[in-house]
Amino acid sequence: EGVRRIAVVGNEPDKYPARAAFPKQVTFHHRDQLDQVQRELREIPGVTALIYDQTCAAEARRLRKRGAFPDPDRRIVINELVCEGCGDCSVQSNCISIEPVETEFGRKRRINQSSCNKDYSCLEGYCPSFVTVRGGNPRRADAVAADPGGDAPFADLPLPATADSSKPFNILVTGIGGSGVVTVGALLAMAAHLEGRGCSELDVTGLAQKNGPVSSHVRIARNPEDLHATRIAPGAADLVLGCDIVVTAGADGLSRMSKARTTTVINRNVAPTSDFATHPDLDLSSQDMENAIRAAAGEEDSHFLPATALATALMGDAIATNLFLVGYALQRGRLPVSLGALERAIELNGRSIEMNRRALAWGRLAAHDLAAVERVAGLARQGVESEEGPTAVEAIVATRVEFLTAYQNAAYAAPYTALVERVANCEREMGSGRTDLSEAVARYYFKLLAYKDEYEVARLYGGFRQQVEAEFEGPIRLQIHLSPQFLPGFIAKRDPRTGRVAKWTLGAWMFPLLGVMAKFKFLRGSPFDPFGRTAHRRRERALIGEYEATVAELLEGLTAENFDLAVEIARVPEAIRGFDTVKERHLRDAKAREAELLAAFRLRTPAARVSPT
């Protein structure tokens, strides 16, 4: 056909036998070389073809659940202390199983083990926080794991009432592809069928395959002839099972609700959308969505649960979330089918029968006694102290002084305390009662001081084995993935196009070596520091002094009118994230933003300046 070159790219390029009679213009490459291959093909005159040979990751996950596809004994875990929250792993993989986790030290990343497709492209993220775990399974709550088949927690549960279906009862199930939304609709329909009721089910999947919006319209009536349409009309939903709050709070979901008849049972967890891959600071709070649902269905009939967290802790798999919500609605008397019919439908489905049955039971118990379920799951609510005023700043400082002392020593932490106190004194002199600036300095001066060099990364792996063993049960083996930038270029070669050093995969033997390396942190910044001579490390150390000078300027010209601008300038280091070239790119953007803000601040600085104490 005149094709000049055919390049086959895949995750197993060695599977093609060398002796096979492929034409001479056919070449085989690992998927890591995809960009390089595309660049080569564009330079060849005439027609070229590129074939990407790999099973769809979402389809592979479905087949693994059925035992019809190899399931690698390998999971990826992120060391959250090492993670910088830069989001490069999301950029490289475009995978939304990489989820945000909010920590004391800012937003980090973690892998959702329940939805992970085991594609492993996230390892291409330019970051030393990724570890491979071989063997073991995600750990479940101890009370459940000790008696996986027991029903003792549910023995005293009263049987739920059945909702009236003398008129068609409409159930809208909303969620994302790959999480079992269609299965929930099918189970409800089968339960109705088993009881001799009329039922229709309409699945609206569109282009969704994994994590796209999906809804299931389930209509149940006493007699089949009472059903005249499969789609639930606007304002006609009797029950909305919101397996994903983002989809539920969308225009289509809200349009089906009404205060006159709708009860909602909503999973409060916000699964990251595809925008999170390119916007690491995306607002993922659920409050606005909850308010929209309450406005549509009414406050009294709106129920919001941390269903994903509960199901994962109790069952070891977030896929149990949807049946947990079904159990909650069932126990509340908001389903027109019986418990026995639902359990029989689960058995007939033939997939994960015991897990689905117990997820249903835990959801029922949550409707009866949510506090008890949270205690078992280890998510019992704790009293939260007020974080207004100086108390919040003092707590931030105390945590970080302890961290900096472990990072280097007490002398290293002393300037941190002094600068934060200086800012706090200036705020008190202003008499506004605000502490935004001292809090910003407390967080981001610390961030610059605790830059993650080789010693710090090694130290932060000190207790990582214990973290993994707390998350997984069974025998495990660890591998770590590192890019050693400090080695000579002929050993750790940089990609001429990206500037990145290729990652090395190192076995469990590396962890004791990291422990030894951490003990040499006293060399940090000294003439004998083998890692501190690079331009990147020198730039990181220079940022500390630059920030101190910037804060001094802010305090000198601080007024009530430019206070908010000063806070924004003090927060600039929040955007300086990542490692090596990723951090340098973020640093350039942050410094450009800082220059703009400082120029605006200087224009608003009065001739008579406030003298800091």
Side-chain angles (χ1 to χ4, degrees), residues 151-385:
D151 291 323
F154 322 114
D156 297 328
L157 266 177
L159 285 175
T162 303
D164 181 24
S165 61
S166 58
K167 295 180 180 180
F169 191 94
N170 301 325
I171 306 169
L172 179 67
V173 188
T174 59
I176 53 179
S179 67
V181 173
V182 172
T183 300
V184 169
L187 290 175
L188 292 171
M190 176 56 72
H193 173 72
L194 291 172
E195 293 189 323
R197 303 177 190 273
C199 181
S200 69
E201 181 199 0
L202 171 66
D203 296 320
V204 183
T205 58
L207 296 176
Q209 184 172 34
K210 181 172 186 274
N211 289 93
V214 173
S215 63
S216 185
H217 295 239
V218 182
R219 305 192 70 214
I220 299 173
R222 187 171 294 171
N223 302 302
E225 55 268 23
D226 294 334
L227 298 173
H228 306 291
T230 55
R231 187 181 292 270
I232 298 172
D238 294 289
L239 172 67
V240 175
L241 288 172
C243 305
D244 178 82
I245 193 170
V246 177
V247 178
T248 310
D252 187 68
L254 293 175
S255 71
R256 312 293 165 180
M257 304 177 195
S258 73
K259 293 180 179 179
R261 65 187 293 179
T262 307
T263 297
T264 65
V265 177
I266 311 295
N267 178 18
R268 182 172 266 143
N269 176 71
V270 180
T273 63
S274 58
D275 288 341
F276 180 65
T278 51
H279 298 85
D281 293 320
L282 188 70
D283 181 10
L284 294 172
S285 63
S286 65
Q287 193 58 55
D288 289 345
M289 291 179 283
E290 291 183 29
N291 292 340
I293 293 169
R294 288 189 180 98
E299 179 75 34
E300 184 177 347
D301 290 321
S302 298
H303 305 272
F304 299 93
L305 305 167
T308 296
L310 290 170
T312 303
L314 295 167
M315 309 301 300
D317 196 331
I319 203 69
T321 299
N322 296 353
L323 265 295
F324 182 93
L325 293 171
V326 172
Y328 188 95
L330 176 69
Q331 192 66 24
R332 288 268 176 180
R334 296 305 297 150
L335 285 178
V337 294
S338 67
L339 171 62
L342 264 175
E343 290 184 329
R344 179 60 180 151
I346 289 171
E347 293 173 7
L348 291 173
N349 185 52
R351 305 290 181 193
S352 305
I353 296 173
E354 182 58 25
M355 184 183 75
N356 287 331
R357 189 180 71 84
R358 287 183 67 77
L360 187 75
W362 280 112
R364 291 179 58 213
L365 184 59
H368 182 70
D369 189 351
L370 179 59
V373 174
E374 289 179 327
R375 284 195 298 272
V376 174
L379 301 178
R381 299 185 182 118
Q382 304 292 329
V384 179
E385 296 181 2

